[in-house]
C-alpha cells in the first residue's frame, strides 16, 4: 500500500511539474493579417497603435510569453503616451475642444489584460496544438496521482475514526518546509491569475476544448481557475470521504459543497453563457458577490430581458430574505459549510491545515474588527455605486465611485480573498478569509449571534479536557472552554462545520437547532469555597 502511495505522489509531482513548466513553452507572434483582424475587431481609434503593435509582434523571432508581453505592453504605453502628450499640449494652450477630443484615442485597460487578449491569438507551439494530451499529462495525471496517494488510506488508517496521528510532526501540516513551499506556489498562482493573466495563457490553451464544449468560446484565465477549483475540490473531497467516512454529517456536507460548486458555480454559468444569457452563480449572495450592484452588471442584467430581471430580483431576495431566514432556522452553517465555494475549498483543500487557526483572545478581537470593517466597506461602496448609477454623477459625499470599486476589488477581492485567504492556508489555517475578511460571513454571523435557533450544546460532565475540539476548530474558537463549563456555544464566527463534534472522543458536543430561549447560557466558574453553593443554586 505504501508503494502505491509513493507512486501516486511521484505521478502528482510529475503532473504539477508539467503544468507549471507549460508556462515557459511555445512562441508568440502574429502575421500582418492576424494583427489586422485583431485591430478591426477591437476598433481602436488610435492612429499610433497599429504601427506600435506591428513593430512589437510581427517578427521572425520566436518570442516567449514574457518577451511578447513586454513588447505588447510597451506598444500600448507608446500609443497612450502619444495622446497624453497631446492632451498636455492642448491643455497648456487652453484648447479645451482639442484636449477633450484626444481621450477617445486612448486605450483603457490593465496592461497585462490587454497583453493577454493579444497573446491568446498569438500563441504557437506544442501545448496549443496538443491540448488533449497536455490535459491528460497535467489535470488527468495529477488526479490519478492524488487518488493513488489517498485511496490506500482506506486500509492504512485502520478502524473507523478520525486519525490525526503525527499531524504536528509532519512538515506539510506543521508549518514546516513543505508547508512553506505550498504557500509560495499558491501565492504565486494567485498573483499570476489576478495581476499577470497573459503569463498563464498556455494554461488556457489546455482547457480550450472543454470551454468550447460548455460555453462555445475559448477558455479565459477565469475558466481555468473555475475548472481547477472544481478539480481540486473533487479530488480533496475524496480525501474527506475517506478520513470522515464514519461521520454521516461530514459525508453529506462534503457532497453538498461539491454539488453546489460544480453545478451552480461552474456548470450553470458556463451553460448560460453559451445560451447568450448572463453567466450567474445563483448561490452567490451579496456582499460576497460584491460587484452585483456595479454599473456594468446592472446594465448587463437590465438589457438581458426577463432572465436578467429574474437574476436581479433573485439576487436581492436572496440577500434580504432567504439568507437571514435560513440563518434563523439553521445557522450560518447552511451557507458557509454546505453551499459556499470559498467554504468548500477551505473544507477540502484546506482541511489538513485547520489546526493552525489562532485561538488567542487578540486574534478574536482582530477578527471582529477586521471582518465587520470589510462589511461596512462593502456597504459604503454599494451605496456610493448605486447613488452614482441612478444620479449620473461620479462621486457621492466626496467618494469617487470608480476609486472605491477599484480599491475594494484590489484589496479585498484579489489580495484578501485570493492571495492571503487561500495562499496562506498552510500557515494561518484554512478559514483566514471566512474568519477575518468575508463580508457575507459577517452578515450571517450577526444574524446567527442575535437571532437564530442554532447552537452547539455541550455536556460538561463528560468533557475530559483533551482539547481536540479547540485544536481542530478552523474558526479559532476555544471550544473546550465552553465544553468544560457545559455552556452552549453561540458565536457569530462558528460555521457549523461539525469537526469539533466529530473529533470529540466523549460525544460532548452536538449541533442543534432549537428554541431561542435558553440558547445562550453563560456559566460562572466556581472555585473552592468562594461562594455558598446552595445559595448560589437557589438564586439561579
Amino acid at each position: 500500500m505504501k508503494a502505491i502511495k509513493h507512486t501516486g505522489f511521484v505521478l502528482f509531482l510529475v503532473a504539477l511539474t508539467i503544468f507549471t513548466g507549460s508556462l515557459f513553452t511555445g512562441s508568440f507572434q502574429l502575421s500582418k493579417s492576424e494583427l489586422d483582424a485583431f485591430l478591426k475587431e477591437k476598433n481602436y481609434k488610435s492612429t499610433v497603435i497599429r504601427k506600435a503593435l506591428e513593430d512589437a509582434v510581427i517578427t521572425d523571432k520566436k518570442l516567449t510569453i514574457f518577451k511578447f508581453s513586454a513588447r505588447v505592453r510597451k506598444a500600448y504605453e507608446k500609443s497612450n503616451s502619444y495622446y497624453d502628450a497631446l492632451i498636455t499640449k492642448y491643455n497648456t494652450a487652453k484648447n479645451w475642444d482639442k484636449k477633450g477630443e484626444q481621450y477617445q484615442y486612448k486605450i483603457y485597460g490593465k496592461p497585462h489584460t490587454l497583453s493577454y487578449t493579444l497573446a491568446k491569438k498569438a500563441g504557437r507551439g506544442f501545448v496549443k496544438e496538443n491540448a488533449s494530451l497536455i490535459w491528460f499529462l497535467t489535470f488527468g495525471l495529477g488526479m490519478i496521482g492524488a487518488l493513488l496517494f489517498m485511496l490506500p488510506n482506506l486500509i492504512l488508517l485502520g478502524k473507523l475514526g478520525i486519525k490525526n496521528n503525527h499531524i504536528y510532526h509532519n512538515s506539510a501540516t506543521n508549518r514546516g518546509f513543505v508547508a512553506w513551499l505550498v504557500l509560495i506556489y499558491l501565492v504565486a498562482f494567485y498573483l499570476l491569475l489576478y495581476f499577470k493573466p497573459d503569463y498563464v495563457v498556455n494554461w488556457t490553451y489546455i482547457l480550450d476544448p472543454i470551454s468550447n464544449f460548455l460555453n462555445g468560446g475559448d477558455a479565459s484565465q477565469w475558466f481555468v481557475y473555475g475548472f481547477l477549483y472544481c478539480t481540486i475540490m473533487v479530488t480533496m473531497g475524496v480525501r474527506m470521504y475517506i478520513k470522515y467516512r464514519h461521520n454521516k454529517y461530514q459525508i453529506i456536507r462534503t457532497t453538498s459543497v461539491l454539488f453546489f460548486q460544480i453545478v451552480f458555480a461552474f456548470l450553470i454559468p458556463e451553460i448560460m453563457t453559451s445560451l447568450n444569457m448572463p453567466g450567474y452563480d445563483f448561490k452567490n449572495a451579496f456582499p460576497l458577490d460584491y460587484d452585483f450592484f456595479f454599473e456594468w452588471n446592472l446594465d448587463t442584467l437590465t438589457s438581458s430581458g426577463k432572465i436578467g430581471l429574474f437574476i436581479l430580483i433573485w439576487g436581492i431576495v436572496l440577500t434580504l430574505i432567504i439568507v437571514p431566514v435560513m440563518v434563523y432556522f439553521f445557522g450560518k452553517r447552511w451557507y458557509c459549510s454546505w453551499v459556499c465555494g470559498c467554504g468548500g475549498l477551505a473544507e477540502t483543500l484546506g482541511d489538513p491545515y485547520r489546526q493552525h487557526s489562532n485561538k488567542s483572545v487578540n486574534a478574536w478581537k482582530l477578527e471582529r474588527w477586521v471582518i465587520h470593517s470589510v462589511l461596512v466597506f462593502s456597504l459604503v461602496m454599494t451605496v456610493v455605486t448605486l447613488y452614482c448609477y441612478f444620479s449620473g454623477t461620479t462621486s457621492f459625499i466626496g467618494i469617487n465611485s470608480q476609486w472605491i470599486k477599484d480599491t475594494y476589488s484590489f484589496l479585498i477581492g484579489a489580495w484578501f480573498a485570493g492571495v492571503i485567504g487561500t495562499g496562506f492556508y498552510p500557515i494561518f489555517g484554512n478559514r483566514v478569509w471566512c474568519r477575518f475578511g468575508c463580508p457575507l460571513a459577517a452578515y450571517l454571523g450577526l444574524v446567527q449571534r442575535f437571532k437564530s435557533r442554532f447552537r452547539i450544546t455541550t455536556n460538561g460532565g463528560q468533557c475530559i479536557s483533551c482539547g481536540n475540539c479547540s485544536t481542530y476548530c478552523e474558526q479559532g474558537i476555544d471550544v473546550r472552554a465552553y465544553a468544560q463549563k457545559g455552556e452552549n456555544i453561540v458565536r457569530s464566527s462558528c460555521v457549523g462545520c461539525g469537526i469539533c463534534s466529530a473529533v470529540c472522543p466523549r460525544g460532548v458536543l452536538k449541533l442543534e437547532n432549537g428554541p431561542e430561549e435558553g440558547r445562550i447560557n453563560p456559566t460562572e466558574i466556581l472555585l473552592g469555597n468562594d461562594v455558598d453553593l446552595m445559595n448560589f443554586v437557589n438564586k439561579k
Side-chain angles (χ1 to χ4, degrees):
M1 286 297 170
K2 289 186 177 180
I4 295 176
K5 286 178 70 71
H6 293 155
T7 301
F9 184 64
V10 170
L11 290 177
F12 176 79
L13 289 180
V14 169
L16 186 63
T17 301
I18 296 173
F19 182 71
T20 307
S22 65
L23 296 180
F24 305 93
T25 64
S27 61
F28 294 82
Q29 64 267 348
L30 286 175
S31 65
K32 191 174 186 307
S33 59
E34 289 172 326
L35 179 60
D36 288 341
F38 172 79
L39 292 173
K40 183 178 180 181
E41 176 188 330
K42 291 298 181 181
N43 195 28
Y44 291 142
K45 294 183 178 181
S46 168
T47 57
V48 178
I49 192 63
R50 176 183 294 276
K51 181 66 168 61
L53 285 177
E54 282 182 358
D55 294 340
V57 301
I58 300 179
T59 175
D60 294 331
K61 296 180 180 178
K62 293 185 176 181
L63 303 175
T64 66
I65 183 57
F66 308 104
K67 290 182 179 179
F68 177 86
S69 172
R71 287 188 173 205
V72 171
R73 286 183 282 118
K74 187 175 181 179
Y76 279 108
E77 182 183 357
K78 181 178 180 180
S79 176
N80 284 337
S81 295
Y82 174 81
Y83 292 104
D84 283 336
L86 288 179
I87 290 172
T88 302
K89 172 185 174 182
Y90 292 126
N91 184 61
T92 303
K94 297 184 179 181
N95 189 339
W96 314 125
D97 290 339
K98 281 289 187 180
K99 174 187 174 182
E101 184 182 326
Q102 306 311 310
Y103 286 100
Q104 64 180 313
Y105 301 114
K106 292 194 65 175
I107 300 172
Y108 297 94
K110 298 176 180 178
H112 283 278
T113 301
L114 294 171
S115 172
Y116 168 84
T117 305
L118 196 56
K120 186 70 177 178
K121 299 178 179 297
R124 313 275 195 272
F126 188 81
V127 173
K128 184 175 184 179
E129 295 165 6
N130 299 273
S132 298
L133 174 60
I134 299 299
W135 185 93
F136 173 77
L137 294 176
T138 53
F139 288 90
L141 201 61
M143 285 187 287
I144 292 171
L147 291 175
L148 287 176
F149 182 79
M150 293 183 293
L151 289 176
N153 286 338
L154 282 168
I155 297 174
L156 294 177
L157 289 178
K159 295 181 180 180
L160 297 181
I162 298 173
K163 306 295 192 305
N164 284 317
N165 302 20
H166 308 295
I167 199 167
Y168 283 107
H169 299 158
N170 191 321
S171 177
T173 53
N174 191 28
R175 303 188 178 106
F177 177 70
V178 175
W180 282 100
L181 286 180
V182 174
L183 179 147
I184 291 171
Y185 191 90
L186 288 175
V187 168
F189 170 82
Y190 274 94
L191 289 175
L192 290 177
L193 183 78
Y194 283 120
F195 305 117
K196 300 183 185 296
D198 48 343
Y199 290 172
V200 301
V201 69
N202 274 331
W203 287 348
T204 68
Y205 294 144
I206 299 173
L207 295 179
D208 274 345
I210 298 176
S211 179
N212 276 285
F213 174 76
L214 287 176
N215 62 41
D218 288 342
S220 66
Q221 77 269 31
W222 301 117
F223 185 90
V224 171
Y225 182 53
F227 187 86
L228 188 60
Y229 206 103
C230 293
T231 301
I232 291 173
M233 278 186 60
V234 169
T235 306
M236 293 299 287
V238 173
R239 176 188 173 278
M240 291 288 289
Y241 288 136
I242 294 172
K243 183 174 182 179
Y244 300 99
R245 60 191 184 279
H246 68 293
N247 191 301
K248 290 183 179 179
Y249 183 80
Q250 300 303 325
I251 296 297
I252 297 173
R253 189 171 67 92
T254 300
T255 304
S256 176
V257 293
L258 290 178
F259 170 77
F260 279 102
Q261 172 60 32
I262 295 170
V263 177
F264 278 77
F266 185 68
L267 291 179
I268 290 179
E270 294 299 331
I271 294 172
M272 291 178 69
T273 301
S274 71
L275 299 175
N276 294 319
M277 295 189 292
Y280 180 67
D281 179 357
F282 284 92
K283 67 172 179 56
N284 201 12
F286 173 86
L288 179 59
D289 185 11
Y290 64 87
D291 57 5
F292 184 78
F293 293 107
F294 282 11
E295 293 94 332
W296 63 265
N297 190 52
L298 293 176
D299 288 338
T300 299
L301 295 180
T302 53
S303 63
S304 299
K306 294 181 179 179
I307 183 63
L309 180 62
F310 173 77
I311 291 173
L312 183 60
I313 295 173
W314 167 259
I316 297 172
V317 171
L318 176 64
T319 300
L320 299 180
I321 300 176
I322 297 176
V323 163
V325 169
M326 290 292 285
V327 174
Y328 172 75
F329 284 105
F330 305 108
K332 64 190 287 187
R333 60 175 170 160
W334 81 270
Y335 191 87
C336 296
S337 286
W338 288 69
V339 173
C340 180
C342 300
L345 190 68
E347 294 294 341
T348 51
L349 176 64
D351 181 70
Y353 311 112
R354 63 172 57 249
Q355 66 275 6
H356 295 325
S357 60
N358 193 324
K359 278 80 176 177
S360 69
V361 174
N362 287 334
W364 185 16
K365 291 179 180 178
L366 179 65
E367 167 195 325
R368 288 179 291 174
W369 275 103
V370 174
I371 195 169
H372 292 110
S373 296
V374 174
L375 175 61
V376 171
F377 189 177
S378 66
L379 294 178
V380 170
M381 174 186 67
T382 302
V383 170
V384 171
T385 300
L386 289 176
Y387 175 84
C388 294
Y389 178 75
F390 289 109
S391 66
T393 59
T394 59
S395 63
F396 175 57
I397 56 172
I399 303 175
N400 182 273
S401 174
Q402 192 60 48
W403 174 84
I404 194 171
K405 287 185 295 182
D406 290 344
T407 302
Y408 188 95
S409 299
F410 177 76
L411 294 179
I412 310 301
W415 273 98
F416 207 158
V419 178
I420 297 174
T422 303
F424 280 74
Y425 276 0
I427 305 301
F428 293 152
N430 61 325
R431 287 275 190 171
V432 177
W433 163 246
C434 309
R435 182 182 178 188
F436 293 95
C438 178
L440 180 57
Y443 172 35
L444 296 171
L446 289 172
V447 179
Q448 175 171 276
R449 177 64 179 78
F450 297 106
K451 198 67 179 175
S452 177
R453 295 164 61 88
F454 173 70
R455 85 291 307 271
I456 300 178
T457 59
T458 65
N459 182 347
Q462 292 293 317
C463 180
I464 59 174
S465 299
C466 67
N468 283 350
C469 51
S470 294
T471 298
Y472 296 104
C473 176
E474 58 193 358
Q475 290 294 108
I477 301 172
D478 187 3
V479 181
R480 178 173 58 179
Y482 291 87
Q484 289 172 329
K485 294 180 287 183
E487 290 185 10
N488 290 345
I489 302 169
V490 179
R491 288 275 289 272
S492 61
S493 59
C494 178
V495 294
C497 67
I499 296 297
C500 60
S501 176
V503 298
C504 178
R506 301 282 289 174
V508 172
L509 305 161
K510 186 178 180 181
L511 282 68
E512 294 185 2
N513 299 312
E516 284 190 76
E517 186 177 352
R519 176 171 167 264
I520 300 176
N521 61 331
T523 304
E524 294 82 356
I525 299 177
L526 306 179
L527 298 175
N529 296 317
D530 289 349
V531 297
D532 185 323
L533 296 184
M534 288 308 299
N535 288 337
F536 182 82
V537 171
N538 289 333
K539 289 180 181 179
K540 297 286 284 188

